[in-house]
Amino acid sequence: MKILVTGGAGYIGSHACKALAAAGFEPVTYDNLSRGNRWAVKWGALEVGDIGDAVRLRAVLDQHQPAAVVHFAAFAYVGESVENPNLYYQNNVCGSATLLRTITEYKPIPVVFSSTCATYGIPDQVPIPEGHPQRPINPYGFTKLVVERILADLDRAYGLRSVSLRYFNAAGGDPDGDIGEAHDPETHLIPLVLAAARDGTAVTVFGDDYDTKDGTCVRDYIHVADLADAHVRALKYLLSGGATCALNLANAHGYSVMEVIETAKRVCGKPIQVKMAPRRAGDPAALIGSSERAREKLGWIPARSSLEMQLTDAWNWMRKPQSSR
Ligand code: UDP
């Protein structure tokens, strides 16, 4: 059974393709390679195309006849979204709207959507449940919220069922070392901390005056292989008739930026230089998620909750020679 995976050449998308193939599905990656990597497409066909290109999309749908779509393709940097919101509204909102319209016109096959905890904004309570108000404080989070709303409307109007998966902070790499995180430019904390350990450079900490245990931001890190597993489960849920819903993917445990750095020092066995800097625009102090609903609906239990494990897998990937990718 073929599954169209938009953004399948990206970090989480490529790990999901591996998990889909392992579960007996045939992933077909649809990616414009603007941020994804051709080398990360290892478990199925690659169709190069843009989610905003309805003609190309329709041709790929007609050619492969997928039973469902897993939609990752998006820009995903909070800081960049604050600096260049047009880019985010154009790609994440307009592109997704075109994709979803084209799917609906093709036939209303189910959609697993890559959403985010950034749709919640500053939480009233942690761990955050799915019923928490969604008040994003940066354009990135708002673009994802808009797509969640579009999906809800498409179900009401056309019976297009979907699962929106609100991830907390994706971390780690493929435990077998086949693929890993490789953004260009890299802005995420964990790969930057590990690069600082590897290269002897400094990592910048954005803000140490938050109302948290040590003043630095707290995030709930979730292993990318656990995220990939949740996508396969969400897909099976939809293919067996499951109703539209939104589910958090999290570990219900938060680590501060300084705790990540301290753990990385142990995992890498190297010193890490730290540089303090002002807060980054758009960052809430603490984001920790409750994923009880994903456990109930999908039977999803994260297997790689420990930060050590996440950093170890990321570190093993980072030390691999680039030529082996
Ligand atoms: N962060 C940091 N230095 C960096 C990159 C990130 O201090 O070089 C902080 C950032 O402010 C946030 C946390 O690390 O509080 C996680 O950021 P990341 O960009 O990895 O993920 P996000 O939470 O934006 O999805």
Side-chain angles (χ1 to χ4, degrees):
M1 187 184 283
K2 287 191 181 181
I3 308 296
L4 190 72
V5 183
T6 75
Y11 170 42
I12 305 171
S14 59
H15 288 78
C17 284
K18 180 173 182 179
L20 286 168
F25 295 102
E26 198 179 325
V28 175
T29 288
Y30 185 84
D31 199 302
N32 67 7
L33 299 178
S34 71
R35 300 208 171 165
N37 299 298
R38 195 178 280 274
W39 53 256
V41 184
K42 298 185 174 179
W43 294 277
L46 169 64
E47 296 288 356
V48 178
D50 197 284
I51 51 170
D53 183 347
V55 174
R56 173 85 180 116
L57 267 169
R58 182 59 200 243
V60 169
L61 288 167
D62 285 338
Q63 183 191 339
H64 291 283
Q65 307 271 319
V69 175
V70 186
H71 176 33
F72 292 99
F75 293 141
Y77 296 137
V78 168
E80 183 184 57
S81 80
V82 175
E83 282 152 28
N84 194 353
N86 278 334
L87 195 65
Y88 278 68
Y89 288 114
Q90 185 61 44
N91 190 43
N92 295 9
V93 176
C94 300
S96 294
T98 301
L99 169 75
L100 296 172
R101 172 173 57 80
T102 310
I103 293 169
T104 317
E105 287 168 359
Y106 163 71
K107 63 178 108 142
I109 52 176
V111 174
V112 178
F113 173 55
S114 162
S115 189
T116 170
C117 63
T119 59
Y120 291 117
I122 296 169
D124 300 332
Q125 64 181 108
V126 291
I128 305 170
E130 287 84 353
H132 188 284
Q134 290 175 290
R135 299 171 301 227
I137 61 163
N138 53 62
Y140 167 64
F142 190 64
T143 63
K144 292 285 184 172
L145 177 56
V146 172
V147 178
E148 285 197 14
R149 296 287 160 85
I150 294 174
L151 283 166
D153 289 340
L154 297 188
D155 189 2
R156 272 187 290 270
Y158 313 116
L160 185 139
R161 290 171 301 111
S162 63
V163 173
S164 292
L165 296 174
R166 297 178 189 152
Y167 327 145
F168 284 64
N169 283 58
D174 175 41
D176 304 325
D178 289 337
I179 39 174
E181 188 166 11
H183 296 110
D184 184 20
E186 188 53 81
T187 66
H188 292 114
L189 179 68
I190 288 179
L192 289 173
V193 166
L194 298 176
R198 182 190 60 193
D199 304 335
T201 52
V203 66
T204 305
V205 174
F206 295 133
D208 61 358
D209 57 348
Y210 285 98
D211 184 17
T212 58
K213 44 191 155 187
D214 60 18
T216 64
C217 280
V218 169
R219 294 289 180 273
D220 187 337
Y221 293 92
I222 177 88
H223 198 289
V224 67
D226 288 331
L227 292 181
D229 173 49
H231 287 76
V232 174
R233 289 171 184 270
L235 184 65
K236 288 180 176 168
Y237 162 85
L238 287 169
L239 290 173
S240 56
T244 292
C245 61
L247 306 171
N248 285 341
L249 299 179
N251 276 310
H253 185 86
Y255 293 95
S256 72
V257 172
M258 288 314 297
E259 284 173 335
V260 170
I261 295 170
E262 289 307 314
T263 311
K265 285 182 189 170
R266 283 201 304 278
V267 166
C268 307
K270 289 177 182 283
I272 298 174
Q273 300 171 48
V274 171
K275 224 169 45 190
M276 290 300 173
R279 294 180 178 199
R280 188 175 70 174
D283 273 342
L287 289 171
I288 300 169
S290 157
S291 52
E292 282 306 308
R293 203 189 273 183
R295 281 171 202 255
E296 280 162 27
K297 281 203 188 286
L298 307 181
W300 177 73
I301 298 171
R304 298 187 160 256
S305 297
S306 101
L307 183 62
E308 276 85 0
M309 217 181 236
Q310 296 165 8
L311 289 171
T312 300
D313 287 339
W315 179 236
N316 288 340
W317 166 254
M318 178 161 279
R319 285 185 306 163
K320 257 184 118 162
Q322 297 252 346
S323 54
S324 66
R325 289 181 185 172

